[in-house]
Amino acid sequence: MITNSPIIEALKESEELTSEYLKSLIDQSPSPAIAVRGALKKSSDILDAFFLDNKDIKQLVQARAWFADKILKLLWEEFDWKGKDDISLIAVGGYGRGELHPHSDIDILILSKNELCQNYAEAVSSFVTLLWDLRLDIGQSVRTIDECIDSASDDITIATNLLETRTIAGNDVLRELLNTRAYSDEVCSNRSYFLAKREEQRLRHEKYSDTEYNLEPNLKSSPGTLRDIQTIMWITKRHFGLSSTSELTRYEFLTPEEYQKLLDGEHFLWTMRYGLQMIAGRNENRLLFDHQRNLAEMLKFEDSEEKLGVEIMMQQYYRVVLGLAELTDVILQHFDEAILRKNESAEVIKLNKRFQIRNRYIEAINSQIFAYAPYAIMEIFLLMAQNPQVKGIRATTIRALRAHRHLIDKTFRKDLAVTTLFMELIRTPHDLHKTLSFMKRYNVLGRYIPEFGRIIGQMQHDLFHAYTVDAHTIRVIRNIVKLREPTARSKFPQASRLIHRIPKLEVLYIAALYHDIAKGRGGDHSDLGSLDAEKFCARHHLSKRDTQLICWLIENHLLMSMTAQKKDIQDPDIIHSFAMEVPSQIHLDYLYVLTVSDIDATNPRLWNTWRATLLRQLYIEARRALRRGIENPLDKTKWISATQAEAQDMLLDQGFREEEIDIVWNKLEDDYFLQDSTAEIAWQTASIIKHGNSTEPLILIQDIEERQGDGYTQIMIHLKDGQGLFAATTAVLEQLNLNIVSARISSGKGPYSLNTFIVLDENNQSLTGNTERKEQTYHRLKDELDDPADYPEIIQRRTPRQLKHFSFPTEVTFSNDMINQRTMMEVITPDRPGLLARVGSILMTNNVSLANAQIATLGERVEDVFFITDPDGSPISDPKICEILQTEISEQLDEHVQAN
């Protein structure tokens, strides 16, 4: 540990931090801990000021450890340790390395040669109590040398801590005796230690989904972060042992470039961790949304025209950890060969004149192959695709790739041999996403496709997009690959069938690769991505037909999801408008598969049974429209008549009379009969007839299970219309923690209203099989809706932590749907509990009727569309009413977010 640096000198110059001054404080105070708390605070303030002044981070963490040493040594010397030869105070773990962040744990070991005598035991107890009075995060253990070795033999974490020790006070010979045994096979062999740390790393990576791209990463434990660097350091220390005390000597197997990358990565992560703990005021390693913006400002990442400062910071973070992950591959593979396979004979399979597989890792036969045959940079990844037994690239070849990837330039990208190899890779049936991930990891994909290189590590600071743009893109391709597997049929039944009808998968893969590639540039990313893709297609000699299809998919990759989620797809006019945008059935098939894969790759919670139902319904109706011919749109009147005839036949078969059916139907608007399911119309009509003239609300709950495996729960409510009905119903459903995904309000021509809500549970699943939950819902609705004027107070649950940090002003816009004679009101706002009930209440107080609602929650962002009318059922014609609605909705929703 360094004990002399400009920052340590600055601490020494402060009179209040000198040993003499601190000693006098301790001697004069009845409580030594209280006496030095002020000194700890002052030293911390000095170091934090140096940090904000952009001083060397390594000096800062070492200076903090140095001052902690000084305090602990002074306090230790307050006790009578007699001869002091058989007990000592040892720093272990990160503190043992001489590194402390603002709120890091200070791990110490009170080491004795033999079991503590009574006097020592009492002194140790008093010393430990004194440390706790300091209010520092102290982690302590009291052991003899033998006890340390026994514990280390049983626990790899203790064994690791004992590799990093420093004597703070007492006899250093004890630590040397401990080290000699701790580094020996008495604790564990070099081989077993390596295996244990590698397995520990595997489990840790698994906890974080094996990705460097977590939205709220842990700077200490996520893949590619400080714990990975420390794991390399521990394995290196244990392998080379006590004989190699110099860090440079231990890392001789690294190239200067690799060693510098390790240092630079560590310094960057240290800087983020130091700032994070200053902001959080505690030992916090999770880079939560709560802190990301503040940290970006502290580290002087400023907003640009295209990106927020926080997005620039996070992109740099992701790129750093990706580079460290690549380096970790090289180092762990080096030790795998040096430790585990030292005496093993290699299994070698020759692939061609340039490459072979050694122990399931592909390697270049000649490390200079990339220099005299640059196309081999692409060839190695094609060979990986063609040989699924390959686990990865051998460390020596990774280094050769790194040394020659500067050859990936304009000439390389236009080389016919290279473009042919890349297209062959795309067309080879295999786990394409894994090969592309390798190409990205080793910085080949980003160089070969520079536009992809620009989105590596690019995040979008919201909860809708759970992954960086590049990680999302690879996940889309992964989803397409997985659709061909039998396991996909349950989750994606329609897409898993269509994938086998897609004539050219490479078209779909390229569209997926480019669909978001222009994000972060400003402008429409779909149009800009299409232009990039057109150049890619020309460079790779794709046909004009395939190029047009790829570009169309990229330009329209949001068309299907936006139509399904934000428009009334039971309206034939909406279906016709959508079908007008789709040139052919094959375009529709490609678009459906791409849309499903895209949604599921955006956020793990985004895909649910209701979205699956909406997309499949839109696909089926659009397919019908295309078969019928766009020039022959469906006649709405004929559709309604056909729907009524089919539903009436069902009801007559059940014994109902035409007069009973007509009484119910004559009270309903024509739009009610635009829904797709005649079975539901028959079921609802039959229930209303059976209910008769009862004044109690008719409430029906049923689970709808589609043939494709999707499902949702439908709640039908039929009762005398009241302006507070929508607000009352949504308030109750939200109090029951049910997620409303669609609402159809049929006010009708009489005093009754027929409302249908589609709901899912908190896990985005139907209530199928949950009889108790459905009964609870039924009784609660019945109790609350018997008098809509007494609708429940809007739910006041606190806004979830993550949502608070993504607040933005509510947007309310209006447009008139002249075909259906109603006004469309779109509300874009941060998600929060009670939102629908609050909107419903505002509509009620302004005497505005709600005809229909399309509900879409996208991460923290709600984009809901309400179809409203005046009391006479006409579009809102008075601009003042729209202005009042816009003001009240914006003010009340924004006030609710701020209050929480």
Side-chain angles (χ1 to χ4, degrees):
M1 172 180 165
I2 295 175
T3 57
N4 197 8
S5 71
I7 293 179
I8 289 176
E9 289 302 314
L11 291 177
K12 289 178 180 178
E13 289 171 5
S14 174
E15 184 179 345
E16 297 172 45
L17 302 182
T18 62
S19 298
E20 294 77 14
Y21 182 81
L22 293 171
K23 182 75 169 71
S24 66
L25 275 181
I26 292 170
D27 291 342
Q28 295 169 18
S29 173
S31 172
I34 293 175
V36 298
R37 275 185 209 158
L40 288 168
K41 173 72 167 58
K42 182 171 181 60
S43 69
S44 188
D45 290 344
I46 291 172
L47 294 173
D48 290 350
F50 277 132
F51 176 79
L52 295 175
D53 198 30
N54 202 28
K55 297 300 182 184
D56 183 84
I57 187 64
K58 187 167 187 175
Q59 290 186 27
L60 282 169
V61 297
Q62 289 177 337
R64 191 177 291 275
W66 173 84
F67 191 72
D69 284 2
K70 175 185 279 195
I71 294 294
L72 294 183
K73 185 176 182 181
L74 284 170
L75 295 175
W76 176 267
E77 291 173 349
E78 287 298 298
F79 295 87
D80 181 12
W81 303 105
K82 296 184 180 177
K84 301 183 181 179
D85 289 338
D86 51 359
I87 192 166
S88 59
L89 179 62
I90 309 293
V92 297
Y95 181 39
R97 289 193 302 273
E99 301 165 4
L100 275 185
H101 286 264
H103 296 279
S104 294
D105 292 339
I106 300 177
D107 293 327
I108 59 171
L109 165 66
I110 298 174
L111 181 65
S112 64
K113 191 172 184 179
N114 303 302
E115 248 184 76
L116 296 177
C117 64
Q118 185 175 351
N119 289 339
Y120 271 8
E122 290 175 358
V124 165
S125 177
S126 298
F127 176 71
V128 170
T129 301
L130 181 58
L131 295 186
W132 283 109
D133 289 341
L134 287 175
R135 298 178 184 171
L136 297 175
D137 294 319
I138 302 287
Q140 87 286 335
S141 57
V142 183
R143 294 190 179 103
T144 65
I145 293 175
D146 287 341
E147 286 172 340
C148 285
I149 298 305
D150 289 342
S151 298
S153 301
D154 296 332
D155 189 330
I156 195 68
T157 301
I158 295 175
T160 299
N161 272 344
L162 295 183
L163 297 180
E164 303 170 313
T165 58
R166 287 183 303 106
T167 299
I168 300 171
N171 187 2
D172 190 46
V173 172
L174 296 181
R175 184 187 66 85
E176 292 175 352
L177 291 172
L178 175 62
N179 270 3
T180 301
R181 296 175 65 182
Y183 275 83
S184 72
D185 288 354
E186 185 179 357
V187 171
C188 63
S189 68
N190 191 20
R191 176 188 177 88
S192 60
Y193 185 79
F194 174 74
L195 287 171
K197 298 311 288 186
R198 191 172 67 176
E199 176 64 9
E200 187 181 82
Q201 184 186 69
R202 185 190 68 79
L203 293 173
R204 178 167 47 81
H205 285 193
E206 194 175 82
K207 178 182 176 183
Y208 293 98
S209 304
D210 284 306
T211 179
E212 296 82 15
Y213 291 133
N214 292 290
L215 276 183
E216 294 183 306
N218 187 306
L219 298 178
K220 186 176 179 180
S221 302
S222 289
T225 56
L226 291 169
R227 186 62 85 210
D228 279 3
I229 296 174
Q230 290 159 4
T231 297
I232 291 167
M233 181 188 63
W234 293 327
I235 291 171
T236 306
K237 272 190 170 184
R238 180 61 186 82
H239 179 64
F240 290 104
L242 290 171
S243 60
S244 178
T245 55
S246 165
E247 191 173 274
L248 278 173
T249 304
R250 286 198 302 270
Y251 288 113
E252 278 183 342
F253 62 92
L254 293 179
T255 66
E257 178 194 0
E258 289 170 340
Y259 183 64
Q260 191 60 48
K261 178 182 281 191
L262 195 67
L263 292 180
D264 291 345
E266 182 178 57
H267 285 196
F268 177 75
L269 293 172
W270 271 358
T271 302
M272 293 191 79
R273 188 184 184 202
Y274 195 109
L276 173 62
Q277 292 193 3
M278 278 181 62
I279 291 167
R282 61 180 185 274
N283 188 7
E284 179 64 87
N285 295 303
R286 299 166 302 157
L287 191 51
L288 304 175
F289 288 123
D290 311 39
H291 307 311
Q292 287 179 10
R293 285 183 185 271
N294 291 335
L295 183 60
E297 290 175 9
M298 178 182 280
L299 300 183
K300 299 179 175 58
F301 286 94
E302 298 179 354
D303 295 353
S304 68
E305 290 185 5
E306 298 174 345
K307 297 178 186 176
L308 298 173
V310 65
E311 293 175 343
I312 296 170
M313 178 188 75
M314 293 306 296
Q315 183 166 30
Q316 185 173 340
Y317 162 81
Y318 292 127
R319 291 187 173 193
V320 166
V321 297
L322 189 65
L324 289 172
E326 176 197 325
L327 189 55
T328 302
D329 285 351
V330 172
I331 296 172
L332 291 184
Q333 201 182 128
H334 168 84
F335 283 116
D336 181 88
E337 293 180 1
I339 298 173
L340 299 187
R341 307 182 191 280
K342 187 176 181 180
N343 299 315
E344 289 183 10
S345 57
E347 179 187 351
V348 178
I349 303 171
K350 192 168 183 178
L351 298 177
N352 58 29
K353 293 179 180 180
R354 292 168 295 281
F355 296 100
Q356 63 188 19
I357 301 172
R358 179 185 295 270
N359 294 331
R360 298 187 63 189
Y361 284 86
I362 192 168
E363 67 175 357
I365 294 173
N366 182 334
S367 62
Q368 293 302 308
I369 183 65
F370 302 122
Y372 62 78
Y375 67 85
I377 294 174
M378 189 62 70
E379 182 186 20
I380 189 173
F381 294 102
L382 174 60
L383 291 172
M384 290 178 73
Q386 294 171 340
N387 294 273
Q389 75 272 28
V390 172
K391 287 175 62 176
I393 303 175
R394 194 156 180 247
T396 52
T397 304
I398 293 174
R399 284 171 163 163
L401 267 175
R402 190 189 306 126
H404 294 95
R405 59 192 177 198
H406 66 277
L407 298 174
I408 306 175
D409 54 14
K410 287 183 179 180
T411 302
F412 180 91
R413 295 181 201 109
K414 292 179 180 178
D415 189 317
L416 181 60
V418 173
T419 57
T420 302
L421 287 167
F422 187 71
M423 286 309 302
E424 189 176 350
L425 186 156
I426 294 285
R427 293 184 177 113
T428 297
H430 75 295
D431 287 346
L432 176 61
H433 56 291
K434 292 183 180 179
T435 307
L436 293 178
S437 293
F438 275 116
M439 293 180 70
K440 183 183 79 169
R441 192 180 193 93
Y442 301 129
N443 201 11
V444 171
L445 187 61
R447 286 175 177 265
Y448 182 64
I449 304 177
E451 52 269 33
F452 186 87
R454 287 195 287 271
I455 61 168
I456 290 178
Q458 181 178 314
M459 71 170 291
Q460 296 169 88
H461 198 62
D462 58 39
L463 289 178
F464 176 54
H465 299 91
Y467 309 99
T468 58
V469 182
D470 58 313
H472 163 72
T473 299
I474 299 294
R475 290 179 75 89
V476 175
I477 293 170
R478 183 205 66 172
N479 286 348
I480 296 170
V481 170
K482 296 297 181 184
L483 284 176
R484 299 181 67 83
E485 298 178 0
T487 52
R489 292 173 190 163
S490 58
K491 187 176 181 180
F492 307 111
Q494 183 79 12
S496 65
R497 276 198 299 274
L498 287 178
I499 196 70
H500 296 286
R501 287 171 34 188
I502 297 293
K504 293 183 179 180
L505 280 175
E506 65 269 24
V507 166
L508 197 56
Y509 289 140
I510 295 168
L513 189 61
Y514 273 86
H515 79 289
D516 277 350
I517 209 161
K519 280 195 169 180
R521 295 191 212 166
D524 188 316
H525 76 277
S526 300
D527 291 340
L528 294 173
S530 173
L531 294 173
D532 287 343
E534 188 174 13
K535 295 174 185 175
F536 172 91
C537 292
R539 198 166 73 244
H540 290 80
H541 310 286
L542 272 73
S543 69
K544 186 176 180 181
R545 183 177 184 273
D546 289 348
T547 300
Q548 289 175 347
L549 177 53
I550 289 168
C551 292
W552 182 87
L553 286 169
I554 295 166
E555 291 165 9
N556 295 279
H557 74 272
L558 296 174
L559 174 64
M560 197 166 202
S561 59
M562 290 297 99
T563 302
Q565 292 176 128
K566 299 180 71 172
K567 296 185 178 180
D568 185 359
I569 59 173
Q570 294 181 351
D571 186 334
D573 293 324
I574 297 297
I575 298 297
H576 180 71
S577 297
F578 172 77
M580 288 280 290
E581 302 291 330
V582 183
S584 70
Q585 176 66 52
I586 198 63
H587 284 75
L588 181 64
D589 291 348
Y590 272 105
L591 182 60
Y592 179 84
V593 173
L594 179 60
T595 301
V596 169
S597 301
D598 187 18
I599 291 175
D600 190 57
T602 300
N603 188 313
R605 297 182 59 82
L606 198 58
W607 183 259
N608 58 40
T609 54
W610 177 243
R611 280 195 172 92
T613 300
L614 289 176
L615 283 171
R616 190 181 61 257
Q617 183 180 344
L618 177 57
Y619 172 83
I620 291 170
E621 295 299 335
R623 183 177 63 187
R624 289 175 183 164
L626 290 170
R627 287 175 178 173
R628 186 172 55 244
I630 299 301
E631 68 280 1
N632 298 309
L634 185 67
D635 186 289
K636 187 182 292 189
T637 304
K638 290 181 179 179
W639 174 261
I640 291 172
S641 297
T643 299
Q644 289 176 331
E646 188 174 316
Q648 187 180 65
D649 288 342
M650 294 179 184
L651 290 163
L652 293 174
D653 289 342
Q654 296 175 39
F656 293 100
R657 303 189 312 274
E658 284 189 26
E659 305 82 56
E660 295 175 308
I661 300 168
D662 289 342
I663 289 173
V664 175
W665 286 1
N666 287 339
K667 296 174 183 176
L668 296 171
E669 297 285 355
D670 287 346
D671 282 359
Y672 172 76
F673 298 97
L674 291 176
Q675 59 184 292
D676 188 53
S677 175
T678 52
E680 287 183 25
I681 293 173
W683 170 68
Q684 293 177 351
T685 303
S687 300
I688 294 170
I689 294 172
K690 290 176 184 177
H691 194 62
N693 295 320
S694 173
T695 56
E696 289 191 358
L698 171 61
I699 299 170
L700 300 172
I701 301 175
Q702 71 165 349
D703 297 314
I704 308 296
E705 294 296 327
E706 301 285 340
R707 288 178 301 171
Q708 306 292 338
D710 302 322
Y712 52 88
T713 297
Q714 182 186 79
I715 300 175
M716 186 198 91
I717 301 170
H718 182 257
L719 76 169
K720 282 194 174 181
D721 199 8
Q723 287 183 315
L725 179 58
F726 179 78
T729 307
T730 53
V732 172
L733 295 176
E734 288 179 322
Q735 287 168 1
L736 292 168
N737 205 22
L738 292 174
N739 179 22
I740 303 168
V741 294
S742 180
R744 180 174 290 276
I745 315 299
S746 300
S747 297
K749 303 170 185 174
Y752 283 85
S753 175
L754 176 58
N755 301 337
T756 304
F757 296 88
I758 304 299
V759 300
L760 300 172
D761 66 14
E762 59 273 16
N763 297 315
N764 281 324
Q765 301 297 318
S766 71
L767 303 184
T768 303
N770 197 338
T771 305
E772 183 179 348
R773 186 97 181 259
K774 284 185 278 192
E775 287 180 355
Q776 179 192 23
T777 302
Y778 171 82
H779 290 297
R780 184 71 185 278
L781 285 169
K782 188 175 180 182
D783 290 343
E784 298 287 359
L785 299 184
D786 58 350
D787 186 359
D790 298 329
Y791 67 84
E793 291 185 5
I794 294 175
I795 194 166
Q796 292 297 321
R797 291 199 306 266
R798 293 183 66 82
T799 301
R801 172 186 64 80
Q802 288 184 329
L803 296 180
K804 292 181 186 180
H805 301 279
F806 293 96
S807 60
F808 52 87
T810 297
E811 298 176 29
V812 183
T813 57
F814 297 88
S815 60
N816 282 326
D817 177 1
M818 301 312 296
I819 296 175
N820 294 297
Q821 288 296 294
R822 54 194 183 183
T823 298
M824 289 174 55
M825 179 180 75
E826 183 173 21
V827 178
I828 300 176
T829 188
D831 191 18
R832 86 287 319 262
L835 185 149
L836 291 176
R838 195 173 289 269
V839 172
S841 174
I842 293 169
L843 294 177
M844 177 196 71
T845 56
N846 286 283
N847 203 25
V848 172
S849 299
L850 179 64
N852 201 350
Q854 293 290 326
I855 313 300
T857 302
L858 310 174
E860 83 290 349
R861 182 185 180 92
V862 166
E863 297 184 4
D864 293 346
V865 178
F866 301 89
F867 299 91
I868 57 177
T869 66
D870 64 18
D872 299 325
S874 301
I876 307 296
S877 56
D878 187 349
K880 291 184 179 179
I881 298 294
C882 293
E883 187 177 333
I884 291 170
L885 291 175
Q886 185 180 48
T887 301
E888 290 189 7
I889 290 173
S890 297
E891 287 181 353
Q892 290 194 33
L893 294 186
D894 291 344
E895 178 185 358
H896 182 61
V897 165
Q898 293 165 7
N900 279 275

